[in-house]
Amino acid sequence: MSSAPQKILRIRRDYNAWVANETLEDYALRYTPRSFRKWSEFRVANTAFGAVSFLALEAIGGTIALNYGFANALWAILAVGLVTFLTGLPISVYAARHGVDMDLLTRGAGFGYLGSTITSLVYAGFTFIFFALEAAIMALALQMVVDLPLVWCYAISAVVVIPLVTHGITLISRLQAWTQPVWLALLALPFLFIAFRNPQALASLSGLSGSVSGSSGFDPLMFGAAATVAIALVVQIGEQVDYLRFLPERNAGNRWRWWTAVIVAGPGWVVPGMLKMLAGAFLAFLALGQGVAAEKAIQPTEMYLAGFQQVFGGSAWAVAATVVFVIVSQVKINVTNAYAGSLAWSNFFARLTHSHPGRVVWLVFNVIIAVLLMTLGVFGALERVLGLYSNVAIAWVGALVADLVINKPLGWSPKGIEFKRAYLHDLNPVGLGATLLGAGVAVPAHAGLLGQVLVPWAPFIALALALVAAPAIAWWTKGRYYLAREPHKHWRPGQLVACSVCENTFEAEDMATCPAYDAPICSLCCTLESRCHDRCKTRSRAAEQVSDVLSSVLPAKMSRRINFRVGHYLVVFLSLAALLAFVLGVVYYQEGVVRPELLADHPLPPGALEGPFVKVYALLLLAAAVCAWWVVLASESWRMAQDDSNRQNQLLQQEIDAHRRTDAALQQAKELAEAANQAKTRYVAGMTHELRTPLNSIMGYVQILLKDEPPVGARRGPLTTIQRS
């Protein structure tokens, strides 16, 4: 007897109040429906454009100008601006057209359902790194007017953003609209004043020499080093499209408004962004001229204090204007950083844990990480942090753009953006392979392992490799890893369909057909489903895909002997080892390189600082090895328990099916017996009728004869005798 398929009972999923309230949730894990895109093109664009206020732009511009000279900084800013615009345009168009955020866009553009968890982590890293940078800048401004320790200022700068982000774009759009005029006026004031009162200061900026380059002229290596720091900003397009997905659907009536909003608020952010980086270079140069130390001149608070002192002199008005401008700017950008981070963490953990407590929970989580980074002094390591991060970020963006602008037009990738788990492979080698290849070459190049000549060009190497590798892999695989099965297309676009699990109604673009429930299911319920084991697809799970690849590459005998438990252990252990190495590397860099003043009084001999870190890392590796086995064995125990539960369910289902068949046979036998009994009854009744009909005739005739018999004593004649006889 064949095993019966496991039955999944349809139990209504009740989301908590945070998840069920879309004003709080903002469709964090879903397609943004047409009914929710209720804001005008201008309001959405204005909300996205408000993110340009971040003062890390000025900090980056000032840092690369003071280190590498104005000429190298200028050309680096222009080159990065061009790359950012060209890569951001297709991303913005696809996100706005299909109503998806950066994570959902990445899923359907070459990375797969689980493959995009890596890019979600990269994107989340961007949000909390820049949140920490912006909150640190705001904390320095707060310390100008309040007598509090810097750590308390860090906490205040971070926590004040949380209530502004809980209600998503509904509140953020209002905040950006209210603060935009104040921000623009304060931003332009010092530059307009200097342009009229002290124009020679602008002219002298071109002669700024870098502390690293040693000259003010152009140097290709210094240009590459400056571009490496600035190119991390390419990921900012993700925060822009997190708002652009709320644009109303494009039609003939709003075509020009739609395209204007997409371009201005999408890749167009980089135009004022480049101006702000150049402004940062000028203000840092101006602060140096006023006697500010170089390490403080790159801080935006000191920059704008120097600028407003040109307007108000050394009065308290300059300090007040600086504090107001910095706070307004940082609140405007950090609501975006916190919002984007909550979306990224929601997507990341929902896929790994099949649980979603709500976007607000991950909002707080993102803020806590940023506070920890601030206490570690992330602002002091700005150049190194962004230089390393940019190599991974640009590889991801390059692979994504290559899929949108090359693979889709050539037909190697599906035309639309399919983001639902029900239709995707776990891993897609196109985007994932291109990103890993680009980052895998660029990071060692950035570290100097491939020669010092390639160090400044590492991000451009990552971008070039990703742009070439994504189409090559798509062509080689013939695009078969994009869709695990064809999407259900019987619903009309925008048609409302009820989810069989949560019993809520969503537009057709957010729905899929589920064989486990034999009914429609929404994308979030599909994401959180942990019992179906992806039965709607074949050979699409990560373990199955890896097994297929190994079987095709290795000899048959060797592929059968591979111990997947060991492979699982190595993946977990190496991931933990890399995480520990990163954490200890950050601490080592902070204590030994960024803050050498700690060792000024008691200098250590060469290698004295590395030794303790190596010992600590070795001990932590032992703990990681034990934890990795615990994770693997616990996972296998859960899987075995789940498999045993499935087998028991199958046996019970077989018994239920057997009882149903027996019951059906008994019912059929009962019906046959009843039919036979009824036939017998009809036969007997018919026979009785046939027998009683002549008897009744005879009896009636007898009664007639008896009625004609003469009275007693009468003489009987012959006829009477004959009749009686």
Side-chain angles (χ1 to χ4, degrees), residues 684-695:
V684 172
M687 290 295 296
T688 303
H689 175 73
E690 294 297 329
L691 290 174
R692 290 180 64 184
T693 299
L695 289 176

Side-chain angles (χ1 to χ4, degrees), residues 333-389:
I333 179 55
N334 264 353
V335 295
T336 296
N337 285 329
Y339 178 73
S342 67
L343 296 179
W345 287 121
S346 295
N347 283 283
F348 178 77
F349 282 105
R351 273 168 291 177
L352 294 184
T353 65
H354 298 287
S355 176
H356 181 51
R359 183 185 64 83
V360 177
V361 173
W362 303 121
L363 163 64
V364 177
F365 178 74
N366 198 59
V367 171
I368 292 174
I369 294 178
V371 172
L372 292 176
L373 285 179
M374 285 188 284
T375 57
L376 290 175
V378 66
F379 195 84
L382 174 65
E383 183 178 354
R384 293 296 183 92
V385 170
L386 294 183
L388 178 62
Y389 175 81

Side-chain angles (χ1 to χ4, degrees), residues 125-300:
F126 175 86
T127 63
F128 65 68
I129 287 174
F130 274 88
F131 186 99
L133 291 173
E134 305 300 339
I137 295 171
M138 182 175 171
L140 294 174
L142 285 177
Q143 209 175 31
M144 288 183 174
V145 294
V146 295
D147 187 17
L148 288 175
L150 189 58
V151 175
W152 284 99
C153 294
Y154 286 155
I156 294 172
S157 302
V159 173
V160 72
V161 174
I162 294 177
L164 301 176
V165 185
T166 53
H167 285 74
I169 190 175
T170 304
L171 182 57
I172 294 175
S173 62
R174 297 174 186 170
L175 174 69
Q176 298 291 9
W178 294 338
T179 57
Q180 208 81 302
V182 177
W183 173 73
L184 287 172
L186 291 175
L187 174 65
L189 180 60
F191 299 103
L192 293 176
F193 192 90
I194 294 173
F196 283 104
R197 292 291 185 89
N198 192 16
Q200 63 273 13
L202 294 171
S204 58
L205 176 63
S206 60
L208 176 63
S209 298
S211 60
V212 177
S213 62
S215 69
S216 60
F218 179 77
D219 185 339
L221 294 180
M222 297 297 104
F223 159 78
T228 298
V229 179
I231 208 167
L233 295 171
V234 73
V235 185
Q236 175 63 29
I237 194 62
E239 296 190 352
Q240 304 300 119
V241 302
D242 283 344
Y243 292 131
L244 289 179
R245 65 192 175 112
F246 294 105
L247 278 175
E249 194 173 19
R250 188 185 65 180
N251 52 51
N254 69 347
R255 179 181 178 184
W256 292 107
R257 297 194 306 273
W258 190 90
W259 276 107
T260 302
V262 168
I263 294 175
V264 171
W269 80 267
V270 78
V271 176
M274 290 189 296
L275 295 177
K276 281 167 64 63
M277 283 191 280
L278 293 174
F282 171 71
L283 291 177
F285 172 70
L286 188 66
L288 282 178
Q290 295 180 0
V292 180
E295 60 271 13
K296 287 190 174 182
I298 61 174
Q299 297 177 2

Side-chain angles (χ1 to χ4, degrees), residues 336-467:
T336 296
N337 285 329
Y339 178 73
S342 67
L343 296 179
W345 287 121
S346 295
N347 283 283
F348 178 77
F349 282 105
R351 273 168 291 177
L352 294 184
T353 65
H354 298 287
S355 176
H356 181 51
R359 183 185 64 83
V360 177
V361 173
W362 303 121
L363 163 64
V364 177
F365 178 74
N366 198 59
V367 171
I368 292 174
I369 294 178
V371 172
L372 292 176
L373 285 179
M374 285 188 284
T375 57
L376 290 175
V378 66
F379 195 84
L382 174 65
E383 183 178 354
R384 293 296 183 92
V385 170
L386 294 183
L388 178 62
Y389 175 81
S390 64
N391 294 284
V392 180
I394 193 63
W396 164 40
V397 173
L400 179 59
V401 171
D403 190 83
L404 297 178
V405 301
I406 299 176
N407 296 346
K408 290 189 181 300
L410 292 178
W412 298 338
S413 172
K415 296 295 183 183
I417 300 296
E418 183 53 67
F419 61 89
K420 295 180 284 294
R421 172 191 178 187
Y423 302 122
L424 296 176
H425 287 275
D426 278 356
L427 304 175
N428 190 337
V430 176
L432 197 59
T435 301
L436 294 178
L437 176 63
V441 175
V443 171
H446 176 75
L449 300 179
L450 303 182
Q452 294 299 318
V453 178
L454 296 179
V455 171
W457 307 105
F460 296 99
I461 294 174
L463 177 61
L465 287 176
L467 288 173

Side-chain angles (χ1 to χ4, degrees), residues 18-218:
W18 288 345
V19 179
N21 186 352
E22 290 301 344
T23 304
L24 298 176
E25 189 65 8
D26 258 10
Y27 295 89
L29 300 172
R30 299 182 184 276
Y31 159 81
T32 310
R34 296 167 179 83
S35 59
F36 197 73
R37 304 183 211 172
K38 55 188 177 182
W39 295 277
S40 66
E41 294 84 358
F42 173 79
R43 185 163 182 177
V44 174
N46 184 67
T47 304
F49 191 78
V52 184
S53 66
F54 63 113
L55 295 179
L57 290 168
E58 284 87 340
I60 292 172
T63 299
I64 61 178
L66 295 186
N67 287 344
Y68 307 110
F70 178 74
N72 295 315
L74 173 63
W75 288 108
I77 290 170
L78 293 176
V80 170
L82 180 62
V83 170
T84 303
F85 186 90
L86 294 179
T87 56
L89 181 59
I91 293 175
S92 300
V93 171
Y94 271 87
R97 181 182 297 164
H98 295 279
V100 293
D101 63 11
M102 193 65 170
D103 181 80
L104 301 187
L105 179 67
T106 303
R107 286 191 207 174
F111 287 81
Y113 179 71
L114 286 182
S116 62
T117 55
I118 298 176
T119 61
S120 294
L121 195 58
V122 174
Y123 184 37
F126 175 86
T127 63
F128 65 68
I129 287 174
F130 274 88
F131 186 99
L133 291 173
E134 305 300 339
I137 295 171
M138 182 175 171
L140 294 174
L142 285 177
Q143 209 175 31
M144 288 183 174
V145 294
V146 295
D147 187 17
L148 288 175
L150 189 58
V151 175
W152 284 99
C153 294
Y154 286 155
I156 294 172
S157 302
V159 173
V160 72
V161 174
I162 294 177
L164 301 176
V165 185
T166 53
H167 285 74
I169 190 175
T170 304
L171 182 57
I172 294 175
S173 62
R174 297 174 186 170
L175 174 69
Q176 298 291 9
W178 294 338
T179 57
Q180 208 81 302
V182 177
W183 173 73
L184 287 172
L186 291 175
L187 174 65
L189 180 60
F191 299 103
L192 293 176
F193 192 90
I194 294 173
F196 283 104
R197 292 291 185 89
N198 192 16
Q200 63 273 13
L202 294 171
S204 58
L205 176 63
S206 60
L208 176 63
S209 298
S211 60
V212 177
S213 62
S215 69
S216 60
F218 179 77

Side-chain angles (χ1 to χ4, degrees), residues 314-659:
S315 65
W317 285 103
V319 176
T322 301
V323 172
V324 172
F325 174 72
V326 171
I327 291 177
V328 170
S329 299
Q330 301 315 86
V331 169
K332 284 170 66 66
I333 179 55
N334 264 353
V335 295
T336 296
N337 285 329
Y339 178 73
S342 67
L343 296 179
W345 287 121
S346 295
N347 283 283
F348 178 77
F349 282 105
R351 273 168 291 177
L352 294 184
T353 65
H354 298 287
S355 176
H356 181 51
R359 183 185 64 83
V360 177
V361 173
W362 303 121
L363 163 64
V364 177
F365 178 74
N366 198 59
V367 171
I368 292 174
I369 294 178
V371 172
L372 292 176
L373 285 179
M374 285 188 284
T375 57
L376 290 175
V378 66
F379 195 84
L382 174 65
E383 183 178 354
R384 293 296 183 92
V385 170
L386 294 183
L388 178 62
Y389 175 81
S390 64
N391 294 284
V392 180
I394 193 63
W396 164 40
V397 173
L400 179 59
V401 171
D403 190 83
L404 297 178
V405 301
I406 299 176
N407 296 346
K408 290 189 181 300
L410 292 178
W412 298 338
S413 172
K415 296 295 183 183
I417 300 296
E418 183 53 67
F419 61 89
K420 295 180 284 294
R421 172 191 178 187
Y423 302 122
L424 296 176
H425 287 275
D426 278 356
L427 304 175
N428 190 337
V430 176
L432 197 59
T435 301
L436 294 178
L437 176 63
V441 175
V443 171
H446 176 75
L449 300 179
L450 303 182
Q452 294 299 318
V453 178
L454 296 179
V455 171
W457 307 105
F460 296 99
I461 294 174
L463 177 61
L465 287 176
L467 288 173
V468 173
I473 298 174
W475 172 81
W476 181 53
T477 59
K478 297 180 175 60
R480 64 176 177 270
Y481 293 104
Y482 282 92
L483 296 177
R485 63 179 176 120
E486 285 298 320
H488 181 82
K489 296 182 179 179
H490 299 300
W491 298 314
R492 300 185 310 274
Q495 179 182 348
L496 295 179
V497 183
C499 174
S500 61
V501 180
C502 65
E503 299 181 2
N504 296 318
T505 302
F506 302 97
E507 293 185 8
E509 288 83 351
D510 198 50
M511 301 297 295
T513 55
C514 180
Y517 289 103
D518 194 23
I521 187 172
C522 69
S523 61
L524 180 55
C525 289
C526 184
T527 295
L528 303 183
E529 179 59 57
S530 60
R531 299 175 295 166
C532 67
H533 300 294
D534 291 318
R535 69 175 56 180
C536 58
K537 304 172 289 187
T538 57
R539 310 304 298 176
S540 64
R541 308 189 74 183
E544 296 170 342
Q545 290 184 265
V546 173
S547 176
D548 291 343
V549 171
L550 293 177
S551 299
S552 62
V553 173
L554 300 177
K557 293 183 179 180
M558 186 179 298
S559 63
R560 286 195 297 267
R561 293 179 180 176
I562 292 177
N563 191 330
F564 284 97
R565 175 188 290 179
V566 176
H568 187 192
Y569 169 76
L570 290 176
V571 170
V572 176
F573 174 70
L574 293 177
S575 300
L576 291 175
L579 178 62
L580 292 174
F582 173 76
V583 172
L584 287 178
V586 170
V587 176
Y588 169 75
Y589 178 76
Q590 285 290 110
E591 299 300 323
V593 181
V594 177
R595 301 169 63 186
E597 68 275 4
L598 297 178
L599 305 176
D601 296 333
H602 303 283
L604 298 176
L609 193 61
E610 289 84 346
F613 275 90
V614 172
K615 292 179 181 179
V616 171
Y617 183 62
L619 293 175
L620 290 176
L621 281 184
L622 293 177
V626 176
C627 291
W629 271 121
W630 175 76
V631 170
V632 171
L633 295 177
S635 176
E636 287 195 357
S637 298
W638 175 84
R639 190 180 301 109
M640 292 175 63
Q642 184 68 32
D643 291 341
D644 184 66
S645 175
N646 291 342
R647 284 192 295 271
Q648 295 297 328
N649 287 339
Q650 289 177 356
L651 292 175
L652 289 174
Q653 187 62 45
Q654 291 175 1
E655 185 176 353
I656 291 172
D657 291 341
H659 280 297

